[in-house]
Amino acid sequence: MQTRINFTGTLSNDPALNPDFYSWNRVFVRYCDGASFAGDSQHGDQDGNGKLFFRGRRIWEAVLDELMQKGLAHSEQALLTGCSAGGLATLLHCDDFRARFSSEVLVKCLPDAGFFLNVEDISGQRSMRSVYSGVVHLQNVTEVLPKDCLLANKDPTECFFPAEIIKSVRTPTFIMNSAYDSWQVQNVVAPDSSSPDESWRRCRADIRSCNSSQIQVLNGFRKAMVDGLKAVGDNKDCSWFIDSCFSHCQAWFDNSPWDTPVAPRLGNKTLVEAVGDWYFGRSPSQAVREIGCEYPCNPTCNSLQLPAQFTTDLYYGKEKSDRLVV
């Protein structure tokens, strides 16, 4: 909730750094509801002292209603993007965002670092699923969950994970994520609840400190992400750029590798090139699907530490700085 925020990466107005989107109108939507703009519930205190209100979905709808009135409705092109929990929000609301515009408007979605996995941690527990379950049931997010998933009688918590959500998204989507997502290594693979030893604490803080057996565990995490993506099959509207860098949120933080000399490359393209070519249809094929090899094979990765915004313990989903950007 900073008073001023630097617009960098995909938000930058510098054509040298952001050649495809620098001249666009950009809106930054602050995130503070704890459920990726998905919740709609209220709970009374047992002693009758008050109520808790979770209104993320209503906030999302109100923000979009106002933006449409302010000129968004006249757009010829639109891109919905966000990082971390904002990346999850981008997936959850992508088709709803598309529905706001006429069919002639080019609308696409770019979730960054929002592909959270439902996998076991190093203690054999699914700690991220436990967090998700708390969010799903406390905040009543059912309305935004994929209907196909719910109709298949799957647990709503499972339907809140991106591997299920992407099966139902019909709007062209470009999933940007690290297969060794630094936040997920710290909070999904080796969270505090798994009682990591000193070796794992060093590893989760800096992948360069991981031993061979720990890298093997992280390679298993990578495989789970790749398998989750490939479950969409031949859906040409789902694209991705999955590098092997130890990072989280690569599109717009001050130290993001969006378009820098140390930008990671896949298929001989940087993030800014891959996203621009995908959005404007400059790629040879409709679906752009780049997956990096196992760590540490990619020499273009820059092992920056996790941004300071992500180093604090936070409420549900953990991150204060999760953003959704329109």
Side-chain angles (χ1 to χ4, degrees):
M1 288 300 178
Q2 301 97 322
T3 303
R4 295 179 63 86
I5 300 169
N6 291 328
F7 273 24
T8 57
T10 49
L11 301 181
S12 174
N13 62 359
D14 185 343
L17 299 177
N18 191 27
D20 283 310
F21 305 105
Y22 75 94
S23 62
W24 285 34
N25 295 301
R26 288 143 293 149
V27 178
F28 177 92
V29 182
R30 294 182 184 271
Y31 165 75
C32 64
D33 69 287
S36 296
F37 296 108
D40 192 2
S41 70
Q42 65 185 59
H43 301 272
D45 179 81
Q46 289 183 348
D47 299 322
N49 295 324
K51 292 182 179 180
L52 292 173
F53 294 87
F54 299 94
R55 300 301 195 212
R57 183 163 61 87
R58 300 191 195 189
I59 293 170
W60 159 261
E61 292 171 353
V63 168
L64 262 292
D65 287 346
E66 182 170 353
L67 290 177
M68 295 300 280
Q69 294 171 8
K70 288 181 178 293
L72 184 61
H74 304 296
S75 300
E76 297 178 358
Q77 299 167 325
L79 176 65
L80 179 67
T81 183
C83 92
S84 199
L88 175 61
T90 299
L91 284 171
L92 288 167
H93 298 289
C94 182
D95 285 343
D96 175 67
F97 184 69
R98 160 73 267 186
R100 297 268 182 161
F101 302 89
S102 68
S103 59
E104 291 78 22
V105 179
L106 180 63
V107 181
K108 297 188 178 184
C109 299
L110 175 66
D112 177 13
F115 205 83
F116 298 102
L117 296 184
N118 177 21
V119 295
E120 291 183 356
D121 61 31
I122 57 174
S123 70
Q125 303 299 311
R126 293 182 181 265
S127 54
M128 193 62 180
R129 185 183 179 94
S130 177
V131 171
Y132 264 36
S133 178
V135 174
V136 166
H137 293 97
L138 177 67
Q139 295 215 33
N140 182 31
V141 306
T142 307
E143 187 64 28
V144 303
L145 296 180
K147 300 300 184 289
D148 292 346
C149 184
L150 295 174
L151 289 173
N153 293 320
K154 293 184 178 181
D155 188 298
T157 298
E158 185 175 354
C159 299
F160 199 47
F161 279 94
E164 289 294 335
I165 298 170
I166 61 172
K167 296 176 183 177
S168 299
V169 176
R170 296 294 174 258
T171 305
T173 300
F174 189 99
I175 297 168
M176 181 188 305
N177 223 102
S178 168
Y180 300 86
D181 187 307
S182 53
W183 189 90
Q184 293 200 62
V185 170
Q186 293 183 15
N187 295 279
V188 178
V189 178
D192 287 340
S193 60
S194 67
S195 301
D197 59 20
E198 185 57 34
S199 174
W200 263 110
R201 290 182 182 277
R202 291 193 301 270
C203 172
R204 70 180 188 175
D206 187 344
I207 196 170
R208 293 168 296 186
S209 299
C210 298
N211 59 39
S212 58
S213 63
Q214 290 165 335
I215 291 296
Q216 187 174 357
V217 172
L218 300 186
N219 286 341
F221 177 87
R222 171 188 177 275
K223 182 179 184 301
M225 181 175 292
V226 172
D227 290 346
L229 289 167
K230 290 184 176 179
V232 300
D234 59 357
N235 179 4
K236 300 302 182 183
D237 285 327
C238 190
S239 298
W240 52 72
F241 186 103
I242 310 298
D243 59 53
S244 56
C245 307
F246 188 63
S247 60
H248 184 75
C249 290
Q250 302 181 78
W252 63 272
F253 272 121
D254 288 342
N255 62 349
S256 74
W258 174 246
D259 190 22
T260 69
V262 294
R265 287 178 172 270
L266 288 178
N268 201 32
K269 288 185 179 182
T270 62
L271 289 168
V272 66
E273 293 167 338
V275 171
D277 288 351
W278 160 77
Y279 186 88
F280 292 101
R282 299 190 297 247
S283 298
S285 60
Q286 180 180 346
V288 178
R289 295 181 175 180
E290 296 288 349
I291 298 176
C293 47
E294 293 183 351
Y295 177 87
C297 71
N298 190 341
T300 66
C301 283
N302 179 35
S303 298
L304 291 171
Q305 296 300 306
L306 198 63
Q309 296 99 318
F310 291 101
T311 58
T312 335
D313 287 333
L314 305 157
Y315 180 70
Y316 281 129
K318 304 269 186 193
E319 300 159 47
K320 284 180 183 172
S321 54
D322 306 340
R323 315 287 200 220
L324 180 71
V325 183
V326 178

